[in-house]
């Protein structure tokens, strides 16, 4: 993959390996080349290693192995300050500005020697076409403007290699258009840009070349003009060896849940779920796939009753539950396994104290009418969970914090399934678990489904979705791109849907 | 006019009552602005006060005592900073350690240094002379100057911007090349030095003695003042003045029989604390701490 640039490459990363202290191998021998004056897309799914690779280039991480050559010189950065000296600056995923500072203060924060004057910053803004209100406090600015502040901040440091980590997240379509215009302008001025994303559309729109990462490996590096969405999608997504999950045949048995035109507000004050409709049957696992942050969490929270929907209806077992609160929904047989174990468990509480948490408000077997807890019953139940679900803990009196991640998850899953629910919502149920625990939890979900329960599985792990679901949807930007069966879809189609093309568009060969 | 004389006397006394609290609070404002919390102010004051007496008493030069106190404060700040910033230790425990160590160390040292128990009074020459005419300490003028300088540095110079960025969002500072750890360590050292100066004010300027309880909680009042002052040196000045004034006034009140008969003594003692709290909180309104204070910055494990 060498000899791609006309001149010598500006940045050359050779055989980069990164092993994190916890043993995670994020990069497995990656080669990467950035040419002068290009916008280079770095494409890949969640966890592919995009951020890790660029953090190494920006001096925020040290590679475990491999060489980095910048402008012809071998470098070993020990801090972002070192990278800046070579003209490399990074705009982090999720941004890193000082919220109480003004835009101007943020822009000049890193200056060495004398602080750039306002006139200088104003001139810079005009030159690159990024105009921001300099005296506004950053926390009052929209994400689009913050993104501009971030870029200006790097330009004020005279950076000529600019790394943008998923800069379009949280931006509106018009803000994205504006951003792309500025990036092209920066390219004309001779800046080189690395543009990290998992959106194929964006790669095609703004980059000159693209490198695709998958699971810590480079799947290819191509000129954007010589590729197409289908090829990129195929490189990005790839199915792993089949999982060892025994799945009896699918026997849907009556409608458990109907979701109709659901709209849910996100944390940023814009709708995160934008009109989603589907139904789930008893005896079925319904998967929701997609890159993280496309509204999956908000969807799950609306189903569980934690987030009030803006619009739409949720019908469970024939009853409209849209207006019911969380405990009322639990009481009617809903179980919710949230993505974050720190939400599901109170880490400082013991296993015992965590046991009744999600049913304490209605289960008269555990709490009497006066509100006294029936400790004996709770102890029995706690012991039951530990035994039945194989939670490894010194005792039920040990704090949840002291359990390993896998055992915490087993505790959560066990607690929810012991309630004998009818509808189960599981969000990223195997995230951070080792192979054995992952398999255990997955088998459990299949068992639930085969015993006639309805399971909604929300996961960004495609293998998990494809291996477990009977039907699944791909979510993108708050909408479903299609509802399909796992063995009737190609990797290419999947990748395209995750990148924002609807199934109809793909089938109609409009891509 | 005796009332005016009284008021003048109270005002001059107030300058001393406010100084230790203000200096320690200024030090802590700087430290916390950079993102480190140091609850060991009480301990730093105490140890610095001890060495100020020791050196001033030996050399009969109060200024050497003052410098020593500053140096000791800086040294303890260095240790705390190193533990907090580089070892990523628990800052509360480190601060508690300073306080605990100080209590034992000073009680013991008073015996070792002077062969007395609990209490030592240095020679009169060891005390900082007062400014002729106005009768306040030269250190008072220095304290006011430090307040203003600190304010200007924090809000008008780009070094101040960098320090504050470290306390708000160290990652943002890091990616633009600010040396976060160095900023934090330096701020903690200077914070310690200012608190050391507060100790010298107590032992060889305002009073002329060292006991193992010399700061009498002033380190903790300073910590509270940092909050009420919204991490702003000028509000710190205001708060400490109100406190100093009310504290002195309440001391006067204790000598007046018609007051002590009407209000029980312990209640009089609480007046300066409560009143300061109300006034400062009222003036400043809701305070907003630096968002990353007390959290060690790690650039991810590598
Ligand atoms: N500090 C860390 N310690 C341990 N593992 C980590 C750390 N940072 C990242 N990882 C792991 O390394 C892998 C690559 O992560 P990275 O953040 O580079 O992915 P990415 O391609 O940027 O994904 P995304 O699109 O979600 O941002 C993931 O499996 C992730 O869990
Ligand atoms: Mg990333």
């Amino acid at each position: 993959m060498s000899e791609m640039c006309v001149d010598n490459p500006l940045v050359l990363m050779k055989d980069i390996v990164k092993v994190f202290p916890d043993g995670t191998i994020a990069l497995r021998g990656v080669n990467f080349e950035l040419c002068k004056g290009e916008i280079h897309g770095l494409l890949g799914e969640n966890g592919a290693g995009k951020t890790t690779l660029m953090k190494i280039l920006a001096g925020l991480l040290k590679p475990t192995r491999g060489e980095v050559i910048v402008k012809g010189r071998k470098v070993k950065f020990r801090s972002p300050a070192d990278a800046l000296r070579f003209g490399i600056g990074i705009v982090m995923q999720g941004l890193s500005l000082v919220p109480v500072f003004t835009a101007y203060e943020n822009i000049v924060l890193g200056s060495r020697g004398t602080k750039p004057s306002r006139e200088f910053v104003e001139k810079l803004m005009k030159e690159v076409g990024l105009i921001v209100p300099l005296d506004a406090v950053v926390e009052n600015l929209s994400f689009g403007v913050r993104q501009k502040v971030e870029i200006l901040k790097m330009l004020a440091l005279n950076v000529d290699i600019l790394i943008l980590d998923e800069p379009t997240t949280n931006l509106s379509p018009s803000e994205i258009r504006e951003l792309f215009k500025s990036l092209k302008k920066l390219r004309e001025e001779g800046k080189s840009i690395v543009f990290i994303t998992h959106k194929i559309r964006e790669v095609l729109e703004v980059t000159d070349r693209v490198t695709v990462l998958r699971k810590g490996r480079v799947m290819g590096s191509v000129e954007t003009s010589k590729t197409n969405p289908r090829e990129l999608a195929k490189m990005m997504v790839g199915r792993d060896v089949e999982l060892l999950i025994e799945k009896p045949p699918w026997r849907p048995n009556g409608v458990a849940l109907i979701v109709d035109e659901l709209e849910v507000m996100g944390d940023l004050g814009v709708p995160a779920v934008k009109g989603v409709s589907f139904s789930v049957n008893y005896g079925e696992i319904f998967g929701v796939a997609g890159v993280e942050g496309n509204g999956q969490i908000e969807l799950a929270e609306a189903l569980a009753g934690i987030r009030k929907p803006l619009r739409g209806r949720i019908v469970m077992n024939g009853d409209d539950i849209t207006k019911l609160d969380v405990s009322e929904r639990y009481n009617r047989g809903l179980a919710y396994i949230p993505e974050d174990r720190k939400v599901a468990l109170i880490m400082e509480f013991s296993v015992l104290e965590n046991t009744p948490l999600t049913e304490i408000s209605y289960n008269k077997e555990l709490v009497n009418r006066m509100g006294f807890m029936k400790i004996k019953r709770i102890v029995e139940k706690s012991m039951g969970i530990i035994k039945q679900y194989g939670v490894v803990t010194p005792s039920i009196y040990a704090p949840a914090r002291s359990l390993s991640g896998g055992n915490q998850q087993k505790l959560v899953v066990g607690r929810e399934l012991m309630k004998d629910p009818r509808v189960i919502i599981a969000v990223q149920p195997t995230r951070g678990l080792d192979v054995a625990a992952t398999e255990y939890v997955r088998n459990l979900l299949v068992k639930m489904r085969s015993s006639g329960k309805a399971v909604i599985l929300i996961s960004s792990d495609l293998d998990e979705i494809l291996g477990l679901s009977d039907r699944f949807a791909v979510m993108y930007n708050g909408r479903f791109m299609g509802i399909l069966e796992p063995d009737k879809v190609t990797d290419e189609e999947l990748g395209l849907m995750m990148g924002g093309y609807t199934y109809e568009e793909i089938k109609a060969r409009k891509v | 006019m005796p009332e005016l004389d009284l008021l003048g006397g109270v005002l001059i006394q107030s300058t001393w009552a406010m100084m230790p609290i203000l200096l320690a609070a200024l030090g802590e404002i700087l430290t916390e602005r950079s993102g480190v919390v140091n609850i060991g102010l009480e301990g730093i004051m105490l140890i610095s006060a001890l060495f100020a007496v020791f050196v001033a008493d030996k050399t009969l030069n109060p200024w050497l005592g003052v410098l020593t106190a500053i140096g000791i404060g800086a040294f303890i700040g260095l240790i705390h900073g190193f533990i907090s910033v580089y070892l990523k230790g628990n800052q509360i425990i480190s601060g508690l350690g300073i306080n605990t160590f100080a209590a034992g160390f000073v009680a013991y040292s008073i015996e070792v240094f002077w062969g007395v128990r609990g209490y030592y009074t240095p020679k009169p020459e060891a005390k900082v002379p007062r400014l002729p005419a106005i009768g306040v300490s030269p250190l008072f003028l220095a304290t006011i100057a430090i307040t203003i300088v600190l304010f200007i540095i924090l809000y008008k110079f780009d070094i101040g911007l960098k320090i504050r960025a470290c306390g708000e969002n160290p990652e943002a500072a890091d990616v633009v090349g600010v040396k976060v750890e160095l900023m934090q360590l330096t701020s903690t050292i200077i914070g310690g030095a200012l608190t050391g100066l507060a100790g010298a004010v107590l032992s060889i300027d305002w009073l002329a003695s060292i006991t193992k309880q010399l700061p009498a909680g002033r380190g903790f009042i300073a910590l509270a003042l940092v909050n009420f002052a919204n991490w702003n040196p000028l509000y710190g000045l205001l708060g400490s003045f109100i406190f100093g004034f009310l504290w002195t006034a309440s001391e006067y009140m204790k000598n007046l029989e018609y007051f002590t008969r009407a209000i029980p003594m312990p209640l009089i003692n609480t007046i300066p604390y409560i009143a300061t709290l109300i006034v400062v909180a009222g003036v400043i309104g809701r305070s907003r701490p630096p968002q990353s204070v007390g959290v060690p910055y790690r650039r991810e494990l590598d």
Side-chain angles (χ1 to χ4, degrees):
Chain A
M1 64 158 281
S2 58
E3 307 307 321
M4 280 196 152
C5 305
V6 184
D7 305 319
N8 281 333
L10 200 56
V11 172
L12 183 60
M13 299 178 84
K14 280 204 286 208
D15 259 320
I16 304 287
V17 173
K18 176 71 194 177
V19 185
F20 282 106
D22 65 359
T24 311
I25 307 174
L27 300 173
R28 302 166 185 265
V30 168
N31 293 304
F32 179 80
E33 252 185 60
L34 179 69
C35 309
K36 186 159 171 41
E38 72 171 356
I39 302 179
H40 192 127
L42 192 54
L43 184 69
E45 285 191 64
N46 290 129
K50 308 180 294 289
T51 300
T52 305
L53 184 67
M54 285 303 119
K55 274 189 174 169
I56 289 172
L57 181 56
L60 281 154
L61 283 174
K62 280 178 217 147
T64 311
R65 252 200 5 241
E67 259 184 24
V68 182
I69 295 159
V70 180
K71 298 173 184 169
R73 279 177 55 194
K74 200 175 154 193
V75 294
K76 276 202 161 56
F77 296 145
R78 277 179 294 121
S79 70
D82 289 350
L84 282 166
R85 236 165 270 137
F86 277 81
I88 301 174
I90 186 168
V91 174
M92 306 268 268
Q93 188 168 2
L95 305 187
S96 63
L97 295 167
V98 182
V100 291
F101 284 7
T102 63
Y104 174 68
E105 285 173 329
N106 268 291
I107 291 169
V108 300
L109 178 59
S111 60
R112 272 151 291 171
T114 50
K115 185 157 85 178
S117 65
R118 283 185 69 100
E119 291 71 49
F120 173 82
V121 176
E122 271 159 13
K123 203 170 131 244
L124 181 69
M125 289 200 297
K126 285 212 192 77
E127 269 170 26
V128 296
L130 292 167
I131 310 289
V132 302
L134 285 180
D135 293 317
V137 175
V138 160
E139 62 189 348
N140 300 330
L141 296 173
S142 78
F143 279 86
V145 182
R146 287 188 206 184
Q147 190 71 50
K148 292 187 198 166
V149 174
E150 283 273 17
I151 295 173
L152 286 166
K153 182 171 103 175
M154 285 304 156
L155 296 179
L157 289 171
N158 240 334
V159 156
D160 56 6
I161 300 170
L162 183 61
I163 304 164
L164 303 173
D165 197 347
E166 298 189 21
T168 56
T169 320
N170 301 325
L171 299 201
S172 68
S174 65
E175 283 175 329
I176 292 177
R177 241 174 291 128
E178 237 182 288
L179 175 72
F180 286 176
K181 237 193 274 161
S182 306
L183 294 188
K184 287 174 181 162
K185 204 156 185 182
L186 287 173
R187 174 181 58 191
E188 276 160 34
E189 303 199 345
K191 310 266 182 206
S192 313
I193 298 169
V194 180
F195 176 82
I196 302 180
T197 185
H198 28 229
K199 297 183 183 143
I200 295 171
R201 280 170 189 272
E202 294 179 353
V203 164
L204 292 172
E205 191 175 335
V206 76
T207 68
D208 304 305
R209 216 146 58 90
V210 51
T211 297
V212 184
L213 280 182
R214 187 207 300 169
K215 303 213 159 123
R217 291 206 167 84
V218 175
M219 303 315 292
S221 193
V222 290
E223 268 178 54
T224 311
S225 58
K226 294 194 182 135
T227 186
N228 58 56
R230 286 176 186 268
E231 188 186 30
L232 290 177
K234 216 148 129 192
M235 279 202 260
M236 202 168 123
V237 178
R239 253 177 257 208
D240 264 9
V241 268
E242 286 299 307
L243 277 157
L244 296 170
I245 301 276
E246 291 269 333
K247 225 172 93 183
W250 173 28
R251 288 214 180 76
N253 181 21
V255 178
L257 190 81
I258 301 171
V259 174
D260 185 28
E261 282 298 315
L262 194 68
E263 238 183 75
V264 186
M265 187 62 94
D267 289 331
L268 303 170
V270 286
V273 179
K274 303 170 181 168
V276 160
S277 303
F278 62 99
S279 65
V280 186
N281 297 306
Y282 288 114
E284 170 178 87
I285 294 182
F286 182 84
V288 179
V291 173
E292 275 168 54
N294 277 294
Q296 298 99 315
I297 302 299
E298 290 82 358
L299 173 64
E301 290 182 351
L303 294 180
I306 297 167
R307 225 175 250 270
K308 296 271 161 283
L310 291 171
R311 210 164 58 76
R313 255 174 11 122
I314 306 168
V315 177
M316 187 165 99
N317 207 25
D319 301 329
D320 189 331
I321 61 164
T322 318
K323 295 231 147 52
L324 299 187
D325 67 16
V326 185
S327 63
E328 193 52 43
R329 291 183 198 207
Y330 286 178
N331 195 10
R332 289 179 184 225
L334 187 81
Y336 174 46
I337 301 169
E339 71 158 342
D340 187 353
R341 287 187 283 275
K342 282 189 224 99
V343 173
L345 298 174
I346 299 180
M347 290 299 170
E348 300 308 313
F349 278 16
S350 65
V351 171
L352 175 65
E353 289 166 317
N354 270 297
T355 300
L357 280 184
T358 51
E359 44 184 338
I360 200 157
S361 58
Y362 61 86
N363 190 341
K364 297 291 173 260
E365 294 210 338
L366 300 182
V367 186
N368 77 9
R369 224 178 298 130
M370 303 281 289
F372 277 109
M373 293 192 287
K374 297 178 182 166
I375 298 296
K376 228 178 99 206
R377 285 272 174 73
I378 299 176
V379 170
E380 274 166 23
K381 182 155 189 180
S382 201
M383 301 288 243
I385 295 175
I386 290 176
K387 227 169 92 204
Q388 196 171 331
Y389 294 91
V391 181
V392 180
T393 170
S395 83
I396 55 172
Y397 302 103
R401 173 175 35 81
S402 68
L403 275 58
S404 77
N407 283 298
Q408 289 173 358
Q409 186 68 348
K410 283 186 193 172
L411 176 60
V412 175
V413 172
R415 177 181 77 191
E416 297 309 312
L417 299 188
M418 279 288 259
K419 297 193 313 198
D420 195 26
R422 311 165 65 148
V423 178
I424 300 155
I425 305 165
V427 187
Q428 310 277 15
T430 59
R431 163 169 291 177
L433 300 194
D434 61 22
V435 179
T438 300
E439 208 174 283
Y440 179 83
V441 170
R442 287 181 183 171
N443 274 316
L444 213 54
L445 291 175
V446 170
K447 216 169 88 195
M448 287 292 135
R449 160 260 196 192
S450 302
S451 69
K453 302 184 188 310
V455 179
I456 298 164
L457 171 66
I458 298 181
S459 173
S460 60
D461 181 339
L462 261 185
D463 296 328
E464 182 161 277
I465 295 282
L466 296 173
L468 298 187
S469 334
D470 300 301
R471 291 185 305 134
F472 75 102
V474 179
M475 199 163 179
Y476 174 86
N477 196 16
R479 296 195 174 85
F480 280 179
M481 295 292 106
I483 298 180
L484 314 136
E485 284 170 39
D487 41 12
K488 294 191 184 137
V489 61
T490 65
D491 290 351
E492 191 184 296
E493 288 165 348
L494 264 177
L496 287 170
M497 280 192 277
M498 292 175 63
Y501 298 92
T502 65
Y503 192 61
E504 284 100 63
E505 277 180 281
I506 300 164
K507 277 291 157 202
R509 293 247 147 215
K510 285 203 185 124
V511 180
Chain B
M1 279 196 282
E3 290 84 3
L4 264 187
D5 276 358
L6 180 66
L7 184 64
V10 171
L11 278 178
I12 288 185
Q13 275 303 308
S14 309
T15 62
W16 273 289
M18 72 187 273
M19 253 195 286
I21 292 164
L22 177 55
L23 283 167
L26 292 176
E28 186 68 6
I29 286 172
L30 178 63
T31 307
E32 293 195 11
R33 276 290 180 194
S34 81
V36 177
V37 64
N38 183 356
I39 63 162
L41 302 181
E42 185 89 356
I44 296 179
M45 276 198 209
L46 183 54
I47 298 178
S48 311
L50 171 82
F51 282 100
V53 169
F54 182 78
V55 170
D57 194 51
K58 275 262 148 43
T59 61
L60 296 183
N61 183 341
W63 300 113
L64 282 181
V66 169
L67 284 180
T68 306
I70 293 174
I72 295 284
F75 179 68
I76 302 175
L78 170 72
I79 295 173
H80 179 71
F82 188 74
I83 291 174
S84 306
V85 177
Y86 287 98
L87 304 183
K88 319 287 178 198
N90 185 312
Q91 304 179 8
I92 300 298
I93 292 181
S94 169
L96 267 179
I98 295 171
N99 289 336
T100 316
F101 170 77
F105 176 77
V106 170
Y108 173 75
S109 299
I110 292 175
E111 266 191 76
V112 173
F113 289 173
W114 299 291
V116 291
R117 221 167 238 275
Y119 185 85
Y120 179 76
T121 311
K123 302 179 190 80
E125 298 92 317
K127 206 172 163 192
V128 174
R130 297 179 179 193
L131 285 176
I134 20 178
V136 298
S137 161
L139 290 179
F140 176 68
L141 300 185
T143 303
I144 301 296
I146 291 171
T147 310
I148 294 165
V149 168
L150 183 62
F151 176 81
I152 293 175
I153 287 179
L154 277 179
Y155 292 99
K156 306 288 170 203
F157 277 80
D158 49 325
I159 183 85
L161 197 67
K162 287 174 183 167
I163 291 171
R164 286 186 291 131
C166 293
E168 296 287 347
N169 185 351
E171 190 189 70
D174 193 23
V175 291
V176 290
V178 174
K179 300 241 184 323
V180 176
E181 289 169 337
L182 189 64
M183 288 283 163
Q184 294 186 325
L185 183 67
T186 315
S187 301
T188 309
I189 293 173
I190 297 172
L194 291 177
T195 312
L197 178 56
V201 168
L202 279 175
S203 68
I204 56 172
D205 183 14
W206 185 11
L207 316 164
S209 71
I210 176 73
T211 74
K212 67 179 203 277
Q213 267 127 20
L214 188 68
R218 287 187 176 80
F220 294 103
I221 298 167
L223 270 181
L225 181 61
V226 169
N227 276 266
F228 296 133
N230 203 10
W231 289 264
N232 180 330
L234 297 185
Y235 286 134
L237 176 66
L238 174 72
S240 68
F241 172 74
I242 294 168
F243 179 84
F245 180 77
L246 292 173
W247 188 86
T248 314
S250 71
E251 291 297 299
Y252 271 85
M253 273 157 72
K254 284 187 207 163
N255 298 328
L256 303 174
E257 220 180 303
Y258 53 87
F259 265 119
T260 44
R261 225 178 293 136
I263 316 171
M265 193 80 103
L267 213 56
I268 297 182
N269 281 336
T270 65
I271 291 174
Y273 298 88
I274 294 175
T276 307
L277 206 155
I278 293 172
V279 173
V280 179
V283 169
I284 291 144
R286 226 175 54 113
S287 71
R288 171 167 184 166
Q291 293 300 294
S292 300
V293 68
V295 191
Y297 176 61
R298 276 170 220 270
R299 184 188 290 149
E300 273 194 68
L301 305 168
D302 40 9

